[in-house]
């Protein structure tokens, strides 16, 4: 073994790993030289990293552009801090979880309820301050939960939110947003037609595109095709024209917009804080999906994953960006490419940071007309619905059991039907928040007897597993001093 000696003093020097302990924070990514999957602790060649990173950037563009537009946030700000949050997540998870952080659709209902914004091309949300304050508080609660997971583990999370509950929450979110999107689509006959064209375009590309990569980019490509059709209709007089005046006014490069002032409003906080439960369920599901795709057990990094996600949420509240979380679309890209190196995700993050400075890109995105936009929202919300249903299927939830029918079905029905605020004094919840608490409470009430029986059975099993002589020793009184003398 090589020795490290200090020539001036003659004392042995510690090896470089001990001189620089930060080297052990991240894995030593070895260069992959085979044609098989690239593992988490490996990396492809530099140029391949860039190519695969661009592919991940394209995969996240659909939701990370559409969600901020629906909420009235600046697209460039969302892209920039999506990249920054992904880099922060990479550091907190110590480079061991290959996940990209994009704008979550789960928060759309709550944020729109607080801000009262309705999408129109080229307009922005003027009531972001209360949303920012609520996101900061939500992020702090999320950080506290992450610390609890670090201390006590994650089994309690699965006990509170089993698959029947998490599936109901995500399915309810999708149904709530589908109804909201449908109300926007039927604003005019031409918008309804363009929404149908958009949905069918995305559907056809996702099924009949000649390569898997094009099929994975169906939302982005469907947006481009539907946008061109709308543009042609405007030039031919068959529909309204798209206004490009704001695009001409924007410079090519500008810094992302940071919103202020931040407002801490009780009603807004009570509406958005339940988002923590949704994010806990989503991230647990995404981490298990990543483990299945990569063939590596990642549950031990759940605390790091929660903490990275929580810190990004606090950052979003400070700067005025839509909330971010791990992205299903990028998990799909990982399964297609079989390149699991987190360094590829880092390349995608840098691409997002660069796009955040190109203001012309954000200005063009803000010209997407309501009909096209509404169709895209219906597609995205449908994907959220199917994500929840897939949780039920993957975990083999038995709906022949009437208890699961009520726990899974009632919250979904309430989420779709309740499109107004549920208020008790200053406390208010939207349909998603009501459905979330309903799923949690119904499960604990209906399954209370079974859970107590399982707990008692585990206790009896633990007691029976103790050695008989140790039990006898515990029950034997200690000898007296007189006897020992």
């Amino acid at each position: 073994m090589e020795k490290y000696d200090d020539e001036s003093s003659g004392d042995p020097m510690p090896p470089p790993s001990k001189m620089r302990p930060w080297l052990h924070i991240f894995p030593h990514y070895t260069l992959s030289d085979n044609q098989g999957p690239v593992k988490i602790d490996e990396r492809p060649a530099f140029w391949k990293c860039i190519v695969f990173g661009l592919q991940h950037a394209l995969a996240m563009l659909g939701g990370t552009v559409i969600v901020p537009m629906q909420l009235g946030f600046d697209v460039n700000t969302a892209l920039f801090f999506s990249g920054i949050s992904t880099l922060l997540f990479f550091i907190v998870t110590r480079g061991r979880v290959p996940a990209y952080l994009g704008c979550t659709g789960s928060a759309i209902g709550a944020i729109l309820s607080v801000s009262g914004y309705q999408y129109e091309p080229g307009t922005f949300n003027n009531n972001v301050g209360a949303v920012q304050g609520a996101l900061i508080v939500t992020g702090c609660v999320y950080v506290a939960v992450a610390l609890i997971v670090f201390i006590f583990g994650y089994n309690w999370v699965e006990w509170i939110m089993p698959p029947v509950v998490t599936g109901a929450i995500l399915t309810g979110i999708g149904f709530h947003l589908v109804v909201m999107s449908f109300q926007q689509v039927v604003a005019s006959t031409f918008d309804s037609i363009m929404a149908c064209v958009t949905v069918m375009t995305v559907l056809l590309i996702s099924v009949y595109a000649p390569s898997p990569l094009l099929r994975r980019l169906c939302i982005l490509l469907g947006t481009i095709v539907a946008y061109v059709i709308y543009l042609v209709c405007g030039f031919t007089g068959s529909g309204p024209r798209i206004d490009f005046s704001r695009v001409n006014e924007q410079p090519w490069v500008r810094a992302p917009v940071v919103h202020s002032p931040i407002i801490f409003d009780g009603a807004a906080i009570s509406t958005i804080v339940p988002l923590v439960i949704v994010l806990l369920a989503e991230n647990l599901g995404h981490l298990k999906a990543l483990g299945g795709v990569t063939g590596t057990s990642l549950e031990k990094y759940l605390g790091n994953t929660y903490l990275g996600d929580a810190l990004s949420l606090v950052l979003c509240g400070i700067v005025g960006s839509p909330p971010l979380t791990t992205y299903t679309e990028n998990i799909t890209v990982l399964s297609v490419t079989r390149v699991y190196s987190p360094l590829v995700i880092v390349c995608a993050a840098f691409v997002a940071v660069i796009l955040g400075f190109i203001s012309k890109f954000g200005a063009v995105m803000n010209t997407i007309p309501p009909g096209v936009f509404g169709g895209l929202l219906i597609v995205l919300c449908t994907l959220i619905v199917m994500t929840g249903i897939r949780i039920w299927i993957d975990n083999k939830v038995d709906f022949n059991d009437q208890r699961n029918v009520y726990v899974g079905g009632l919250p979904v029905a309430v989420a779709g039907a309740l499109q107004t605020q549920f208020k008790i004094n200053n406390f208010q919840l939207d349909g998603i928040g009501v459905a979330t608490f309903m799923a949690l409470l119904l499960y604990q009430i209906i399954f209370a007897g079974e859970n107590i029986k399982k707990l008692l059975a585990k206790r009896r099993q633990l007691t029976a597993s103790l050695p008989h002589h140790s039990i006898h020793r515990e029950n034997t009184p200690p000898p007296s001093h007189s006897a020992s003398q």
Side-chain angles (χ1 to χ4, degrees):
M1 182 179 294
E2 183 180 358
K3 295 182 179 180
Y4 298 86
D5 295 329
D6 187 349
E7 296 179 356
S8 61
S9 62
D11 296 330
M13 291 179 62
S17 59
K18 292 185 177 181
M19 293 172 61
R20 292 171 290 179
W22 54 269
L23 288 174
H24 287 299
I25 295 177
F26 302 101
H28 295 282
Y29 300 102
T30 57
L31 181 63
S32 175
D33 55 357
N34 54 42
Q35 299 299 319
V38 179
K39 299 178 182 178
I40 290 179
D41 57 353
E42 297 178 338
R43 61 177 178 86
F46 179 74
W47 69 271
K48 288 184 179 180
C49 260
I50 296 176
V51 171
F52 287 120
L54 287 171
Q55 185 169 332
H56 277 280
L58 288 173
M60 66 84 187
L61 269 182
T64 307
V65 167
I66 293 172
V67 171
M69 290 173 57
Q70 169 70 3
L71 300 175
F73 285 72
D74 183 71
V75 173
N76 291 90
T77 301
L79 284 169
F80 178 82
F81 285 103
S82 170
I84 296 297
S85 295
T86 301
L87 295 175
L88 176 63
F89 182 87
F90 175 82
I91 294 172
V92 174
T93 58
R94 298 183 294 159
R96 287 166 170 81
V97 180
Y100 187 92
L101 269 62
C103 298
T104 174
S106 305
I108 291 177
I111 292 178
L112 291 181
S113 298
V114 170
S115 63
Y117 176 77
Q118 186 171 1
Y119 174 77
E120 291 183 13
T123 62
F124 292 96
N125 194 335
N126 295 321
N127 299 318
V128 177
V131 175
Q132 289 179 258
L135 289 179
I136 292 174
V137 174
T138 304
C140 292
V141 174
Y142 200 178
V143 168
V145 174
L147 295 177
I148 293 174
V149 171
F150 271 118
I151 298 171
F152 298 104
Y154 64 89
N155 289 332
W156 65 273
V157 179
E158 293 186 318
W159 183 79
I160 294 175
M161 293 184 294
V164 65
V165 172
T166 55
I169 292 172
L170 289 177
T171 306
I173 289 171
F175 272 111
H176 180 84
L177 298 177
V178 162
V179 175
M180 184 185 300
S181 304
F182 183 78
Q183 293 172 350
Q184 180 177 337
V185 164
V186 296
S188 69
T189 304
F190 187 74
D191 284 337
S192 301
I193 295 173
M194 284 307 306
C196 293
V197 170
T198 304
V199 172
M200 289 305 300
T201 303
V202 173
L203 175 63
L204 292 174
I205 292 174
S206 67
V207 176
Y208 295 109
S211 71
L213 173 60
L214 294 178
R215 291 196 290 271
R216 297 301 178 190
L217 299 177
C218 58
I219 293 177
L220 182 64
L221 297 177
T223 304
I224 295 172
V225 173
Y227 188 91
V228 171
I229 294 173
Y230 197 106
L231 199 62
V232 171
C233 290
F235 281 124
T236 59
S238 304
R241 290 198 170 203
I242 298 176
D243 183 12
F244 290 101
S245 60
R246 290 183 179 271
V247 178
N248 297 327
E249 295 171 358
Q250 287 289 335
W252 276 100
V253 177
R254 69 163 170 81
V257 177
V258 176
H259 295 273
S260 62
I262 300 173
I263 301 172
F264 292 93
D265 178 71
I269 292 171
S270 64
T271 302
I272 294 180
V273 162
L275 178 64
V276 170
I277 300 172
V278 179
L279 294 176
L280 289 173
E282 280 187 338
N283 274 284
L284 180 60
H286 290 168
L287 199 66
K288 288 187 174 182
L290 274 172
V293 168
T294 61
T296 305
S297 178
L298 298 174
E299 280 86 352
K300 59 184 176 181
Y301 300 119
L302 183 62
N304 300 77
T305 302
Y306 281 165
L307 183 60
D309 208 43
L311 293 177
S312 76
L313 190 60
V314 175
L315 177 63
C316 291
I318 293 172
V319 301
S321 168
L324 304 163
T325 190
T326 51
Y327 236 30
T328 307
E329 287 83 348
N330 295 90
I331 298 175
T332 305
V333 174
L334 289 172
S335 66
V336 172
T337 62
R338 299 196 303 166
V339 178
Y340 309 132
S341 175
L343 294 181
V344 172
I345 306 295
V346 171
C347 291
F350 280 112
V351 171
V353 169
I354 293 171
L355 286 175
F357 285 99
I358 305 174
S359 59
K360 289 282 188 185
F361 177 80
V364 171
M365 293 297 102
N366 280 313
T367 63
I368 296 178
V372 176
F373 192 75
L376 291 173
L377 282 178
I378 289 177
V379 172
L380 287 175
C381 297
T382 302
L383 294 177
I384 295 175
V385 169
M386 296 311 299
T387 300
I389 293 175
R390 185 175 178 178
I391 290 176
W392 288 335
I393 295 173
D394 291 346
N395 291 276
K396 297 180 175 58
V397 176
D398 182 17
F399 283 104
N400 290 321
D401 187 339
Q402 290 296 315
R403 297 175 298 177
N404 287 330
V405 171
Y406 291 118
V407 173
L410 283 176
V412 172
V414 170
L418 187 59
Q419 295 293 321
T420 57
Q421 291 287 319
F422 175 77
K423 297 182 179 180
I424 302 177
N425 297 325
N426 291 329
F427 180 79
Q428 62 181 14
L429 292 172
D430 66 337
I432 294 174
V434 173
T436 298
F437 280 108
M438 179 179 289
L440 293 170
L441 291 175
L442 281 176
Y443 176 80
Q444 297 302 328
I445 292 171
I446 295 177
F447 284 86
E450 181 176 326
N451 290 335
I452 292 173
K453 288 180 181 178
K454 288 181 179 178
L455 186 63
L456 293 176
K458 285 183 179 179
R459 184 175 179 180
R460 285 195 297 268
Q461 184 179 3
L462 179 63
T463 303
S465 65
L466 292 175
H468 178 72
H469 63 84
S470 64
I471 299 176
H472 176 73
R473 187 177 300 169
E474 290 177 0
N475 294 331
T476 303
S480 62
H481 289 288
S482 60
S484 61
Q485 292 174 358

